[in-house]
């Protein structure tokens, strides 16, 4: 029955030596008679902390009747190639049963679902949910450090015209190219997200207001020269609103609202970039 299982299983004697392994166990003939702790220590793909935890779990299963343990770990690697779930159970009359189940497919699916929950499927950028959660964390850190931040609200000009004339498939391609350029022009430590159809936001970390305006203009230039889609007669440009922390507001939601309002002013007055660096009201 154990040989029919698709994952490795070992039976340990009361002293911890391996008395049986099934057909799925790697190097089966070399493992018999060895102490399981030594077999673990020889596995270079196991993180050191996992080796210690497995050793403790198996020792407890050998020592304490009814003591069972389930441990999960990933192989060494970035990203890890495989994930495993180890089951340790005592055996009636002494000894323990150890099974190692490959749960890579399950864990990969979980990671994919988590990625989908926090990222925009079209561009791969963070979505609004991720931006609000990560942005709040970054803002709290800036408050503790006393550093400045700037929130840029980037909206493409006349994007509806692109969709109407060239179709939504072409519009999606434009948005992907825009995201690529924004990522290429960004800085490590800043947070970039797509929060709407043609709306992008960037939270600039550790900047003053002048640096924020300079970076905003750099983003705007990156979308204009050269054209996002070479040979396309429909130019792509952007209007950008900026709200500076802590001068304009100290809450992420307020910064987002103010940057959105500044963007609409930039668009309506064809100013390119508009900055709000002071609170518009006593509140």
């Amino acid at each position: 029955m154990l040989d029919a299982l698709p994952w490795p299983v070992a039976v340990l004697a009361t002293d911890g030596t391996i008395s049986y392994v099934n057909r799925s166990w790697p190097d089966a003939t070399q493992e018999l008679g060895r102490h399981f702790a030594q077999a673990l220590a020889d596995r270079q793909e196991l993180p050191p902390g996992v080796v210690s935890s497995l050793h403790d779990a198996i020792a407890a299963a050998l020592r304490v009747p009814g003591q069972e343990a389930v441990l999960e770990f990933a192989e060494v690697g970035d990203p890890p190639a495989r994930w495993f779930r180890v089951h340790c159970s005592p055996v009636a009359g002494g000894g323990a049963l150890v099974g190692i189940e490959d749960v890579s497919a399950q864990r990969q699916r979980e990671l994919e679902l988590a990625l989908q929950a926090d990222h925009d499927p079209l561009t791969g950028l963070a979505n609004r949910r991720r931006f609000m959660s990560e942005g709040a964390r970054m803002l709290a850190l800036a408050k503790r450090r006393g550093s400045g931040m700037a929130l840029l609200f980037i909206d493409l000009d006349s994007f509806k015209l692109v969709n109407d004339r060239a179709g939504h498939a072409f519009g999606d391609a434009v948005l992907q190219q825009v995201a690529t350029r924004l990522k290429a022009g960004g800085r490590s430590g800043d947070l970039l997200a797509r929060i709407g159809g043609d709306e992008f936001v960037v939270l600039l970390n550790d900047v003053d207001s002048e640096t924020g305006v300079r970076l905003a203009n750099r983003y705007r230039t990156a979308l204009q020269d050269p054209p996002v889609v070479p040979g396309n007669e429909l130019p792509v440009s952007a209007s950008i609103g900026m709200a500076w922390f802590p001068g304009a507001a100290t809450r992420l939601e307020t910064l987002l609202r103010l940057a959105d309002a500044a963007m609409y002013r930039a668009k309506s007055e064809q100013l390119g970039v508009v900055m709000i660096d002071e609170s518009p009201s006593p509140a």
Side-chain angles (χ1 to χ4, degrees):
M1 182 180 67
L2 294 179
D3 278 337
L5 293 175
W7 57 80
V9 176
V11 177
L12 310 185
T14 53
D15 62 354
T17 57
I18 302 173
S19 60
Y20 167 85
V21 292
N22 69 350
R23 293 176 180 176
S24 298
W25 195 276
D27 304 324
T29 57
Q30 301 177 25
E31 300 289 10
L32 293 176
R34 299 184 69 200
H35 197 281
F36 197 82
Q38 185 59 48
L40 286 177
D42 291 344
R43 296 287 178 181
Q44 296 183 354
E45 69 271 18
L46 297 181
V50 169
V51 173
S52 176
S53 297
L54 286 173
H55 182 274
D56 293 344
I58 292 169
L62 291 169
R63 186 177 63 253
V64 183
Q67 182 70 39
E68 298 184 358
V70 178
L71 303 173
E72 289 196 12
F73 67 92
E75 283 184 341
V76 173
D78 186 19
R82 294 184 299 174
W83 290 263
F84 295 94
R85 181 180 296 129
V86 180
H87 305 261
C88 305
S89 305
V91 176
L97 186 70
V98 180
I100 304 178
E101 181 183 3
D102 189 328
V103 293
S104 301
Q106 174 185 337
R107 182 57 62 86
Q108 186 62 40
R109 180 58 180 160
E110 292 172 354
L111 292 175
E112 290 173 357
L113 291 174
L115 186 66
Q116 292 172 8
D118 286 340
H119 289 76
D120 170 48
L122 179 65
T123 63
L125 299 180
N127 59 15
R128 178 183 287 270
R129 168 181 163 175
R130 174 68 182 275
F131 180 80
M132 298 305 293
S133 61
E134 183 66 12
R137 184 195 65 79
M138 292 171 61
L139 208 63
L141 184 60
K143 290 178 182 178
R144 291 196 296 270
R145 292 177 174 176
S147 57
M149 300 186 75
L151 197 157
L152 307 183
F153 198 111
I154 305 172
D155 187 87
L156 301 185
D157 298 326
S158 304
F159 185 70
K160 184 178 184 300
L161 185 63
V162 173
N163 276 332
D164 290 345
R165 290 189 179 180
H168 288 278
F170 181 84
D172 287 347
V174 169
L175 291 173
Q176 290 171 332
Q177 288 294 320
V178 166
T180 298
R181 292 204 182 179
L182 292 176
K183 285 190 288 187
R187 308 180 309 161
S188 175
D190 294 340
L191 178 61
L192 170 64
R194 179 189 177 214
I195 62 170
D198 61 334
E199 297 174 339
F200 299 83
V201 288
V202 187
L203 190 58
L204 301 175
N205 197 25
D206 195 18
V207 296
D208 55 27
S209 57
E210 291 184 5
T211 303
V213 171
R214 178 174 56 82
L215 291 173
N217 280 304
R218 189 171 80 178
Y219 277 117
R220 190 165 182 265
T221 300
L223 299 181
Q224 292 176 309
D225 187 25
V228 170
V229 183
N232 174 46
E233 62 181 12
L234 300 174
V236 176
S237 61
S239 298
I240 301 178
M242 184 185 109
W244 187 65
F245 165 88
T250 57
R251 290 172 53 84
L252 184 61
E253 296 84 354
T254 307
L255 286 171
L256 187 63
R257 177 174 54 80
L258 292 176
D260 186 14
M263 179 275 298
Y264 274 107
R265 181 186 167 198
K267 188 181 293 289
S268 63
E269 300 180 18
Q270 298 182 344
L271 297 174
V273 176
V274 168
M275 176 186 69
I276 297 177
D277 61 353
E278 294 183 357
S279 175
S281 67

Coordinates of all heavy atoms in Angstrom, one line a residue, residues 153-226:
F153 N -1.0 61.5 -9.9 CA -2.2 61.0 -10.6 C -2.0 61.2 -12.1 O -2.0 62.4 -12.5 CB -3.4 61.6 -10.0 CG -4.7 60.8 -10.3 CD1 -5.4 60.2 -9.3 CD2 -5.2 60.7 -11.6 CE1 -6.5 59.5 -9.5 CE2 -6.3 59.9 -11.9 CZ -7.0 59.3 -10.8
I154 N -1.8 60.1 -12.8 CA -1.5 60.2 -14.3 C -2.7 59.8 -15.1 O -3.2 58.6 -14.9 CB -0.3 59.4 -14.6 CG1 0.9 59.8 -13.8 CG2 0.1 59.5 -16.1 CD1 2.1 58.9 -13.9
D155 N -3.2 60.6 -15.9 CA -4.4 60.3 -16.8 C -4.0 60.6 -18.2 O -3.5 61.6 -18.6 CB -5.6 61.1 -16.4 CG -6.8 60.7 -17.1 OD1 -7.5 59.8 -16.6 OD2 -7.1 61.2 -18.2
L156 N -4.3 59.6 -19.1 CA -3.9 59.8 -20.5 C -4.9 60.7 -21.2 O -6.1 60.7 -20.9 CB -4.0 58.4 -21.2 CG -3.0 57.3 -20.7 CD1 -3.1 56.1 -21.6 CD2 -1.6 57.8 -20.6
D157 N -4.4 61.6 -22.0 CA -5.2 62.6 -22.7 C -5.9 61.9 -23.9 O -5.2 61.2 -24.7 CB -4.4 63.8 -23.2 CG -3.7 64.5 -22.0 OD1 -4.3 64.5 -20.9 OD2 -2.6 65.0 -22.2
S158 N -7.2 62.2 -24.1 CA -7.9 61.7 -25.3 C -7.8 60.2 -25.5 O -7.8 59.8 -26.6 CB -7.4 62.5 -26.5 OG -7.5 63.9 -26.3
F159 N -7.8 59.5 -24.4 CA -7.7 58.0 -24.6 C -9.0 57.4 -25.2 O -8.9 56.4 -25.9 CB -7.3 57.3 -23.3 CG -7.1 55.9 -23.4 CD1 -6.0 55.4 -24.1 CD2 -8.0 54.9 -22.9 CE1 -5.7 54.0 -24.2 CE2 -7.8 53.6 -23.0 CZ -6.6 53.1 -23.7
K160 N -10.1 58.0 -24.9 CA -11.4 57.6 -25.4 C -11.3 57.6 -27.0 O -11.8 56.7 -27.6 CB -12.5 58.4 -24.9 CG -13.9 57.9 -25.4 CD -15.0 58.7 -24.8 CE -16.4 58.2 -25.2 NZ -16.6 58.2 -26.6
L161 N -10.6 58.6 -27.5 CA -10.5 58.8 -28.9 C -9.7 57.6 -29.5 O -10.0 57.1 -30.6 CB -9.8 60.1 -29.3 CG -9.7 60.5 -30.8 CD1 -11.1 60.6 -31.4 CD2 -8.9 61.7 -30.9
V162 N -8.7 57.2 -28.8 CA -7.9 56.0 -29.2 C -8.7 54.8 -29.3 O -8.7 54.0 -30.3 CB -6.7 55.8 -28.2 CG1 -6.0 54.5 -28.6 CG2 -5.7 57.0 -28.3
N163 N -9.5 54.5 -28.3 CA -10.4 53.4 -28.3 C -11.5 53.5 -29.4 O -11.8 52.5 -30.1 CB -11.1 53.2 -26.9 CG -10.3 52.5 -25.9 OD1 -9.4 51.6 -26.3 ND2 -10.5 52.7 -24.7
D164 N -12.0 54.6 -29.6 CA -13.1 54.8 -30.6 C -12.6 54.6 -32.0 O -13.3 54.0 -32.8 CB -13.8 56.2 -30.4 CG -14.6 56.3 -29.1 OD1 -14.9 55.3 -28.5 OD2 -14.9 57.5 -28.7
R165 N -11.4 55.1 -32.3 CA -10.9 55.1 -33.6 C -10.2 53.8 -33.9 O -10.3 53.2 -35.1 CB -9.9 56.2 -33.9 CG -10.6 57.6 -33.9 CD -9.5 58.6 -34.4 NE -10.2 60.0 -34.5 CZ -9.5 61.1 -34.8 NH1 -8.2 61.0 -35.1 NH2 -10.1 62.2 -34.9
A166 N -9.4 53.2 -33.0 CA -8.6 52.1 -33.3 C -9.1 50.8 -32.6 O -8.6 49.7 -32.9 CB -7.2 52.3 -32.8
G167 N -10.1 50.9 -31.7 CA -10.6 49.7 -31.1 C -10.0 49.4 -29.7 O -8.9 49.9 -29.4
H168 N -10.7 48.6 -28.9 CA -10.3 48.4 -27.6 C -9.1 47.5 -27.5 O -8.3 47.6 -26.6 CB -11.4 47.7 -26.8 CG -12.5 48.7 -26.4 ND1 -12.5 49.6 -25.4 CD2 -13.7 49.0 -27.1 CE1 -13.6 50.3 -25.4 NE2 -14.4 50.0 -26.4
A169 N -8.9 46.6 -28.5 CA -7.7 45.8 -28.5 C -6.4 46.6 -28.6 O -5.4 46.4 -27.9 CB -7.8 44.7 -29.6
F170 N -6.5 47.6 -29.5 CA -5.4 48.5 -29.7 C -5.2 49.4 -28.4 O -4.1 49.6 -28.0 CB -5.7 49.4 -30.9 CG -4.6 50.4 -31.2 CD1 -3.4 50.0 -31.9 CD2 -4.6 51.7 -30.7 CE1 -2.4 50.9 -32.2 CE2 -3.6 52.6 -31.0 CZ -2.5 52.2 -31.7
G171 N -6.4 49.8 -27.8 CA -6.3 50.6 -26.6 C -5.6 49.8 -25.5 O -4.8 50.4 -24.7
D172 N -5.9 48.5 -25.4 CA -5.2 47.7 -24.4 C -3.7 47.6 -24.6 O -2.9 47.7 -23.7 CB -5.8 46.3 -24.4 CG -7.2 46.2 -23.8 OD1 -7.6 47.2 -23.2 OD2 -7.9 45.2 -24.0
A173 N -3.3 47.5 -25.9 CA -1.9 47.5 -26.2 C -1.2 48.8 -25.8 O -0.1 48.8 -25.4 CB -1.7 47.2 -27.7
V174 N -1.9 49.9 -26.0 CA -1.4 51.2 -25.6 C -1.2 51.2 -24.1 O -0.1 51.7 -23.6 CB -2.3 52.3 -26.1 CG1 -1.9 53.7 -25.4 CG2 -2.3 52.5 -27.6
L175 N -2.2 50.8 -23.4 CA -2.1 50.8 -21.9 C -0.9 49.9 -21.4 O -0.2 50.3 -20.5 CB -3.4 50.3 -21.3 CG -4.6 51.2 -21.4 CD1 -5.8 50.5 -20.9 CD2 -4.4 52.5 -20.7
Q176 N -0.7 48.8 -22.1 CA 0.5 47.9 -21.7 C 1.8 48.6 -22.0 O 2.7 48.6 -21.2 CB 0.4 46.6 -22.5 CG -0.8 45.7 -22.0 CD -1.0 44.5 -22.9 OE1 -0.7 44.6 -24.1 NE2 -1.5 43.4 -22.4
Q177 N 1.9 49.4 -23.1 CA 3.1 50.1 -23.5 C 3.3 51.3 -22.5 O 4.4 51.5 -22.1 CB 3.0 50.6 -24.9 CG 3.1 49.6 -26.0 CD 4.5 49.0 -25.9 OE1 5.5 49.7 -25.8 NE2 4.6 47.7 -26.1
V178 N 2.2 51.9 -22.1 CA 2.3 53.0 -21.1 C 2.9 52.4 -19.8 O 3.7 53.0 -19.2 CB 0.9 53.7 -20.9 CG1 0.9 54.5 -19.7 CG2 0.6 54.5 -22.1
A179 N 2.3 51.3 -19.3 CA 2.8 50.7 -18.1 C 4.3 50.3 -18.2 O 5.0 50.6 -17.2 CB 1.9 49.4 -17.8
T180 N 4.7 49.8 -19.3 CA 6.1 49.5 -19.5 C 7.0 50.7 -19.4 O 8.0 50.7 -18.7 CB 6.3 48.8 -20.9 OG1 5.6 47.6 -20.9 CG2 7.8 48.5 -21.1
R181 N 6.6 51.8 -20.0 CA 7.4 53.0 -19.9 C 7.4 53.6 -18.5 O 8.4 54.1 -18.0 CB 6.8 54.1 -20.9 CG 7.0 53.6 -22.3 CD 7.0 54.8 -23.2 NE 7.2 54.4 -24.6 CZ 7.2 55.3 -25.6 NH1 7.1 56.6 -25.4 NH2 7.4 54.9 -26.9
L182 N 6.2 53.6 -17.8 CA 6.2 54.1 -16.5 C 7.1 53.3 -15.5 O 7.8 53.8 -14.7 CB 4.8 54.1 -15.9 CG 3.8 55.1 -16.6 CD1 2.4 54.9 -16.1 CD2 4.3 56.5 -16.4
K183 N 7.1 52.0 -15.7 CA 8.0 51.1 -14.9 C 9.4 51.4 -15.2 O 10.3 51.5 -14.3 CB 7.7 49.6 -15.2 CG 6.4 49.1 -14.5 CD 6.3 47.6 -14.6 CE 5.9 47.2 -16.0 NZ 5.6 45.7 -16.1
A184 N 9.8 51.6 -16.5 CA 11.1 51.8 -16.9 C 11.6 53.2 -16.4 O 12.8 53.3 -16.0 CB 11.3 51.8 -18.4
G185 N 10.7 54.1 -16.3 CA 11.1 55.5 -15.8 C 11.0 55.6 -14.3 O 11.3 56.7 -13.8
G186 N 10.6 54.6 -13.6 CA 10.4 54.7 -12.2 C 11.7 54.5 -11.4 O 12.7 54.1 -11.9
R187 N 11.6 54.7 -10.1 CA 12.7 54.5 -9.1 C 12.4 53.3 -8.2 O 11.2 53.0 -7.9 CB 12.9 55.8 -8.3 CG 13.0 57.0 -9.1 CD 13.2 58.2 -8.1 NE 12.2 58.2 -7.0 CZ 12.3 58.8 -5.9 NH1 13.4 59.5 -5.6 NH2 11.4 58.7 -5.0
S188 N 13.4 52.7 -7.8 CA 13.3 51.6 -6.8 C 12.7 52.2 -5.5 O 13.2 53.2 -5.0 CB 14.6 51.0 -6.5 OG 14.5 50.0 -5.5
G189 N 11.7 51.6 -4.9 CA 11.1 52.1 -3.7 C 9.9 52.9 -3.9 O 9.1 53.1 -2.9
D190 N 9.6 53.3 -5.1 CA 8.3 54.0 -5.4 C 7.2 52.9 -5.7 O 7.5 51.8 -6.1 CB 8.5 54.9 -6.6 CG 9.4 56.1 -6.3 OD1 9.6 56.4 -5.1 OD2 9.9 56.7 -7.2
L191 N 6.0 53.3 -5.6 CA 4.8 52.4 -5.8 C 4.0 52.9 -7.0 O 3.5 54.0 -7.0 CB 4.0 52.4 -4.6 CG 2.7 51.5 -4.6 CD1 3.1 50.0 -4.9 CD2 1.9 51.6 -3.3
L192 N 4.0 52.0 -8.0 CA 3.2 52.3 -9.3 C 2.0 51.4 -9.4 O 2.1 50.2 -9.2 CB 4.2 52.1 -10.5 CG 3.6 52.2 -11.9 CD1 3.0 53.6 -12.2 CD2 4.6 51.8 -12.9
A193 N 0.9 52.0 -9.8 CA -0.3 51.2 -9.9 C -1.2 51.7 -11.0 O -1.1 52.9 -11.4 CB -1.1 51.2 -8.6
R194 N -2.1 50.8 -11.5 CA -3.1 51.2 -12.4 C -4.4 51.1 -11.6 O -4.8 50.0 -11.2 CB -3.2 50.3 -13.7 CG -4.3 50.7 -14.6 CD -4.5 49.7 -15.7 NE -5.6 50.0 -16.6 CZ -6.3 49.1 -17.2 NH1 -6.1 47.8 -17.1 NH2 -7.3 49.4 -18.0
I195 N -5.2 52.2 -11.5 CA -6.3 52.2 -10.6 C -7.6 52.3 -11.4 O -8.7 52.3 -10.8 CB -6.2 53.2 -9.5 CG1 -6.2 54.6 -10.1 CG2 -5.0 53.0 -8.6 CD1 -6.3 55.7 -9.0
G196 N -7.5 52.6 -12.7 CA -8.7 52.7 -13.5 C -8.4 52.5 -14.9 O -7.3 52.0 -15.3
G197 N -9.3 52.8 -15.8 CA -9.2 52.5 -17.2 C -7.8 53.0 -17.8 O -7.0 52.3 -18.2
D198 N -7.7 54.3 -17.8 CA -6.4 54.9 -18.3 C -5.8 55.8 -17.2 O -5.1 56.8 -17.4 CB -6.6 55.8 -19.5 CG -7.6 56.9 -19.3 OD1 -8.5 56.8 -18.4 OD2 -7.5 57.9 -20.1
E199 N -6.0 55.4 -15.9 CA -5.6 56.2 -14.8 C -4.5 55.4 -14.1 O -4.7 54.2 -13.7 CB -6.7 56.4 -13.8 CG -7.8 57.3 -14.4 CD -9.0 57.5 -13.5 OE1 -9.2 56.6 -12.6 OE2 -9.8 58.4 -13.6
F200 N -3.3 56.0 -13.9 CA -2.2 55.4 -13.2 C -1.8 56.3 -12.0 O -2.0 57.6 -12.1 CB -1.0 55.3 -14.1 CG -1.3 54.4 -15.3 CD1 -1.9 54.9 -16.4 CD2 -0.9 53.0 -15.3 CE1 -2.2 54.0 -17.5 CE2 -1.1 52.2 -16.4 CZ -1.8 52.7 -17.5
V201 N -1.3 55.8 -11.0 CA -0.8 56.6 -9.9 C 0.6 56.1 -9.5 O 0.9 54.9 -9.6 CB -1.7 56.4 -8.6 CG1 -3.0 57.2 -8.9 CG2 -2.0 55.0 -8.3
V202 N 1.4 57.0 -9.0 CA 2.7 56.7 -8.5 C 2.9 57.4 -7.1 O 2.6 58.6 -7.0 CB 3.8 57.2 -9.4 CG1 5.2 56.7 -9.0 CG2 3.6 56.8 -10.9
L203 N 3.3 56.6 -6.1 CA 3.6 57.2 -4.8 C 5.2 57.3 -4.7 O 5.9 56.3 -4.7 CB 3.1 56.3 -3.7 CG 3.1 56.9 -2.3 CD1 2.4 58.2 -2.2 CD2 2.6 55.9 -1.3
L204 N 5.7 58.5 -4.8 CA 7.1 58.8 -4.8 C 7.6 58.8 -3.4 O 7.1 59.6 -2.5 CB 7.4 60.1 -5.5 CG 7.0 60.2 -7.0 CD1 7.2 61.6 -7.5 CD2 7.7 59.2 -7.8
N205 N 8.6 58.0 -3.1 CA 9.1 57.8 -1.7 C 10.3 58.8 -1.5 O 11.2 58.9 -2.3 CB 9.6 56.4 -1.5 CG 9.7 56.0 -0.1 OD1 9.1 56.6 0.8 ND2 10.6 55.1 0.2
D206 N 10.3 59.4 -0.3 CA 11.4 60.2 0.1 C 11.8 61.3 -0.9 O 12.9 61.3 -1.4 CB 12.6 59.3 0.4 CG 13.7 60.0 1.2 OD1 13.4 61.1 1.8 OD2 14.9 59.6 1.2
V207 N 10.9 62.2 -1.2 CA 11.2 63.3 -2.1 C 10.7 64.6 -1.5 O 9.8 64.7 -0.6 CB 10.5 63.1 -3.5 CG1 11.0 61.9 -4.2 CG2 8.9 63.0 -3.3
D208 N 11.2 65.8 -2.0 CA 10.6 67.1 -1.7 C 9.7 67.5 -2.8 O 9.7 66.7 -3.9 CB 11.7 68.1 -1.4 CG 12.7 68.2 -2.6 OD1 12.3 67.9 -3.7 OD2 13.9 68.6 -2.3
S209 N 9.0 68.6 -2.7 CA 8.1 69.0 -3.7 C 8.7 69.2 -5.1 O 8.2 68.9 -6.1 CB 7.3 70.2 -3.3 OG 8.1 71.3 -3.0
E210 N 9.9 69.8 -5.1 CA 10.6 70.1 -6.3 C 11.0 68.9 -7.1 O 10.9 68.8 -8.3 CB 11.8 71.0 -6.1 CG 11.5 72.4 -5.6 CD 12.8 73.3 -5.5 OE1 13.9 72.8 -5.8 OE2 12.6 74.4 -5.0
T211 N 11.5 67.9 -6.3 CA 11.9 66.6 -6.9 C 10.7 65.9 -7.5 O 10.7 65.3 -8.5 CB 12.6 65.7 -5.9 OG1 13.7 66.4 -5.4 CG2 13.0 64.4 -6.5
G212 N 9.5 66.0 -6.7 CA 8.3 65.4 -7.2 C 7.9 66.0 -8.6 O 7.5 65.2 -9.4
V213 N 7.9 67.3 -8.7 CA 7.6 67.9 -10.0 C 8.5 67.5 -11.1 O 8.1 67.2 -12.2 CB 7.6 69.5 -9.9 CG1 7.4 70.1 -11.2 CG2 6.5 69.9 -8.9
R214 N 9.8 67.4 -10.8 CA 10.8 67.0 -11.8 C 10.5 65.5 -12.3 O 10.5 65.2 -13.5 CB 12.2 67.1 -11.2 CG 13.3 66.6 -12.2 CD 14.6 66.9 -11.6 NE 14.8 66.3 -10.3 CZ 15.2 65.0 -10.1 NH1 15.3 64.2 -11.2 NH2 15.3 64.5 -8.9
L215 N 10.2 64.7 -11.3 CA 9.9 63.3 -11.7 C 8.6 63.2 -12.4 O 8.5 62.4 -13.3 CB 9.9 62.4 -10.4 CG 11.2 62.2 -9.7 CD1 11.0 61.5 -8.4 CD2 12.1 61.4 -10.6
A216 N 7.6 64.0 -12.1 CA 6.3 64.0 -12.8 C 6.6 64.4 -14.3 O 6.0 63.8 -15.2 CB 5.3 64.9 -12.1
N217 N 7.4 65.4 -14.5 CA 7.7 65.8 -15.9 C 8.4 64.7 -16.6 O 8.3 64.5 -17.8 CB 8.4 67.1 -15.9 CG 7.5 68.3 -15.7 OD1 6.6 68.5 -16.5 ND2 7.8 69.1 -14.7
R218 N 9.3 64.0 -15.9 CA 10.0 62.9 -16.5 C 9.1 61.8 -17.0 O 9.2 61.2 -18.1 CB 11.1 62.3 -15.6 CG 12.0 61.3 -16.2 CD 13.1 61.0 -15.3 NE 12.8 60.0 -14.3 CZ 13.6 59.5 -13.4 NH1 14.8 60.0 -13.3 NH2 13.2 58.6 -12.5
Y219 N 8.1 61.5 -16.1 CA 7.1 60.5 -16.5 C 6.3 61.0 -17.7 O 6.0 60.2 -18.7 CB 6.1 60.2 -15.4 CG 6.6 59.2 -14.3 CD1 6.8 59.6 -13.0 CD2 6.8 57.9 -14.7 CE1 7.2 58.7 -12.1 CE2 7.2 57.0 -13.7 CZ 7.4 57.4 -12.4 OH 7.8 56.5 -11.5
R220 N 5.9 62.2 -17.7 CA 5.1 62.8 -18.8 C 5.9 62.7 -20.2 O 5.4 62.3 -21.2 CB 4.7 64.2 -18.5 CG 3.7 64.8 -19.5 CD 3.1 66.0 -18.9 NE 2.1 66.5 -19.9 CZ 2.3 67.5 -20.8 NH1 3.5 68.0 -20.9 NH2 1.3 67.9 -21.6
T221 N 7.2 63.1 -20.1 CA 8.1 63.0 -21.3 C 8.2 61.6 -21.8 O 8.2 61.3 -23.0 CB 9.4 63.6 -21.0 OG1 9.3 65.0 -20.5 CG2 10.3 63.6 -22.2
A222 N 8.3 60.6 -20.8 CA 8.5 59.2 -21.2 C 7.3 58.7 -22.1 O 7.5 57.8 -22.9 CB 8.7 58.4 -20.0
L223 N 6.2 59.3 -21.9 CA 5.0 58.9 -22.7 C 4.8 59.6 -24.0 O 4.0 59.2 -24.8 CB 3.7 59.1 -21.8 CG 3.6 58.3 -20.5 CD1 2.3 58.6 -19.8 CD2 3.8 56.8 -20.7
Q224 N 5.7 60.5 -24.3 CA 5.6 61.3 -25.5 C 6.7 61.1 -26.5 O 6.5 61.2 -27.7 CB 5.5 62.8 -25.2 CG 4.3 63.2 -24.4 CD 4.3 64.7 -24.0 OE1 5.3 65.2 -23.4 NE2 3.3 65.4 -24.3
D225 N 7.9 60.8 -26.1 CA 9.0 60.8 -26.9 C 9.9 59.5 -26.7 O 10.4 59.4 -25.6 CB 9.9 62.0 -26.7 CG 11.0 62.1 -27.7 OD1 10.9 61.5 -28.8 OD2 12.0 62.8 -27.4
P226 N 9.9 58.6 -27.6 CA 9.2 58.6 -28.9 C 7.7 58.2 -28.7 O 7.3 57.8 -27.6 CB 9.9 57.5 -29.7 CG 10.4 56.5 -28.7 CD 10.8 57.4 -27.5

